[in-house]
Amino acid sequence: QSVYATPPPVLASTDPARLASWLEELATDPARRAALGEEGRAWVAANHDAVAVARRFDDLYPAVLAG
């Protein structure tokens, strides 16, 4: 189970052939690389800025303290 409302924009595969294919696609498609980079930056900003992290800790502490 993820702690994030939306998953990060990455390839989640344990298949080496799929990973190789994805990397080849990115190597030949500058626009796709740029778009993926923007998606990644936006996702990190939304999920890992100080306010987002503080909110997650604030949500977590009561459960931890309750045991």
Side-chain angles (χ1 to χ4, degrees):
Q1 182 177 359
S2 178
V3 298
Y4 302 110
T6 58
V10 298
L11 175 68
S13 177
T14 58
D15 177 10
R18 175 68 188 113
L19 179 58
S21 173
W22 187 68
L23 291 173
E24 286 175 6
E25 176 187 326
L26 289 177
T28 60
D29 189 344
R32 179 68 183 121
R33 283 195 311 272
L36 188 59
E38 288 300 318
E39 288 176 46
R41 277 186 280 285
W43 186 89
V44 168
N47 290 280
H48 289 282
D49 75 337
V51 173
V53 171
R55 261 191 229 117
R56 276 201 296 282
F57 274 109
D58 194 44
D59 292 343
L60 179 64
Y61 279 139
V64 170
L65 293 174

